[in-house]
Amino acid sequence: MRQSQLFPKTRKEAPRDAESINHKLLVRGGFMDQLMSGSWTLLPLGLRVVAKINQIIREEINAVGGQELLMPLLHPKEIWSETGRWDKADEIMYKLADARKKEYVLSFTHEEIVMDLLRKNIKSYQDLPVSVYHFSTKFRNEPRAKSGILRGREFMMKDLYSAHTDEKDMMEYYEKVKGAYIKIFKRLGFDFKVVEASGGVFTDKHTHEFQVINANGEDVVYACDKCDFAVNKEIFEGIEGEKCPDCKEGKIEKLEKTVEVGNIFPLGTWYSERMHVYYTDEKGLKKPVWFASYGIGPTRVMGTLVEVSHDDRGIIWNPAIAPFDVHLVELPGGRGKEIYDTFTEKGINVLWDDRDVSAGEKFSDSDLIGIPVRLVVSERNGDKIEWKERASEKSELISTDEVIRKIKK
Ligand SMILES: [Zn+2]
């Protein structure tokens, strides 16, 4: 992609109302734009990052047998009344009525919709287990929609739902998905904790959250300094400094704040009993389906990555989710077009700064946008290319072949 054609241009100043790092840097770098509080456009650069995040999630969820589909966002009131969540989730749901006074929900989750799909399609134990997911928009009535893209009224979500014959099968799959989530958050480059928490409007059971330590978060976690024990403040009954109840060796530390980037819920039969989702077992007996759901917010993941990976000049993307593989900066006399064509042919994604602006402006934009590798071609560098990684201050002059070899590695 030619940077001269990239929409929109970068900005020198952050919006005046921007408080968080992700809000400032993602808007300045041209990744996203705020329509109103909690409502964002993903611009071309931002959409590239989110598409890469989604692909990592997709690969790991497919690997545990998830099947991708796409469900609607506009739901009839009746389906939400079946579980009582039309009233129970009143505070966070957007509700609306059409000209004929028929009432609807703008979805903040899809348990009821998956249940409806299951009762239409599941008959016997032979039809189970089932595991389906989608990537789609979610709406949530947030009174405090701030912190940039970390907390939106409208945001992207990957939600997975699984249905089983019994609790044992559900819990085995729940542990499998927990493992898939650990792989996903490692690939995304996070330092995170798997935290026990309450289920909120989803379930009375304990659930698991995936929490990244960051000052802009809204959660507080108590965790052991030796083992994996970690519990959300809302359900933790001990105190800081006490001995870990799990390994009996480590001490409990208070981690504040943390950002929740994913959560998983073993929901049980609560939904299937209310929505009459039954199957027939081997003996011909009618039984309720066991059900679990699992979420990750890709747009929140993008915001959180910026919060934990930046410096005073801009964003530092992890190569796995960077909008481009390399940022080719062409200075006067450089072979920009030739290098761009060669790399593109090799399947390397290049942002080519072909603009007629100063070297200083090109370098500061490159630091702001944060592509992991910057390549400079200029008259002075001759047939060599200057290689500099965003996360490092060192640079080196190397041949085109060597650059390709390093990128492919
Ligand atoms: Zn411990």
Side-chain angles (χ1 to χ4, degrees), residues 223-229 243-252:
C224 175
D225 63 0
K226 283 235 167 66
C227 73
D228 288 337
F229 178 85
K243 235 179 206 162
C244 170
D246 215 3
C247 68
K248 318 268 193 252
E249 275 182 25
K251 261 194 187 153
I252 297 298

Side-chain angles (χ1 to χ4, degrees), residues 61-262:
I61 297 300
N62 287 350
V64 293
Q67 299 181 49
E68 189 170 354
L69 43 66
L70 185 59
M71 292 175 273
L73 303 178
L74 188 64
H75 305 166
K77 173 186 179 180
E78 293 72 28
I79 202 161
W80 284 82
S81 297
E82 286 188 53
T83 56
R85 289 211 292 178
W86 172 265
D87 296 315
K88 197 180 172 192
D90 197 41
E91 269 194 15
I92 59 171
M93 272 200 312
Y94 280 111
K95 299 175 175 179
L96 61 146
D98 67 13
R100 285 160 300 181
K101 305 262 179 345
K102 186 168 165 45
E103 292 179 286
Y104 302 92
V105 167
L106 281 179
S107 177
F108 72 94
T109 184
H110 279 78
E111 280 81 10
E112 280 79 352
I113 311 310
V114 176
M115 278 289 146
D116 183 59
L117 280 173
L118 292 171
R119 72 182 163 193
K120 288 171 184 159
N121 295 289
I122 299 297
K123 288 191 175 67
S124 89
Y125 67 96
Q126 287 166 314
D127 300 325
L128 293 167
V130 169
S131 170
V132 292
Y133 71 100
H134 71 169
F135 289 93
S136 86
T137 300
K138 293 279 179 281
F139 295 89
R140 197 169 297 218
N141 192 350
E142 286 288 356
R144 303 165 296 124
K146 53 179 185 89
S147 310
I149 206 163
L150 296 188
R151 187 163 282 276
R153 295 199 163 100
E154 186 181 335
F155 51 93
M156 194 178 285
M157 194 82 173
K158 182 286 301 168
D159 34 333
L160 167 73
Y161 303 86
S162 71
H164 309 267
T165 52
D166 54 31
E167 184 169 17
K168 183 172 168 279
D169 195 57
M170 178 189 75
M171 287 315 296
E172 275 172 17
Y173 192 71
Y174 183 83
E175 289 301 322
K176 243 191 200 179
V177 175
K178 200 196 277 178
Y181 269 42
I182 289 170
K183 282 188 192 162
I184 290 166
F185 292 119
K186 278 188 181 158
R187 285 179 68 182
L188 291 171
F190 282 125
D191 184 8
F192 61 96
K193 291 263 180 208
V194 184
V195 177
E196 211 175 309
S198 90
V201 297
F202 289 86
T203 178
D204 300 333
K205 291 185 166 55
H206 280 184
T207 65
H208 288 92
E209 298 171 341
F210 295 76
Q211 296 274 8
V212 175
I213 300 163
N214 178 260
N216 247 313
E218 295 181 338
D219 284 307
V220 174
V221 167
Y222 287 91
C224 175
D225 63 0
K226 283 235 167 66
C227 73
D228 288 337
F229 178 85
V231 178
N232 195 301
K233 176 189 164 195
E234 56 185 355
I235 63 162
F236 184 63
E237 284 166 352
I239 49 160
E240 197 179 359
E242 72 178 14
K243 235 179 206 162
C244 170
D246 215 3
C247 68
K248 318 268 193 252
E249 275 182 25
K251 261 194 187 153
I252 297 298
E253 295 177 313
K254 188 179 181 184
L255 309 175
E256 49 186 335
K257 306 283 190 113
T258 60
V259 183
E260 179 199 314
V261 285

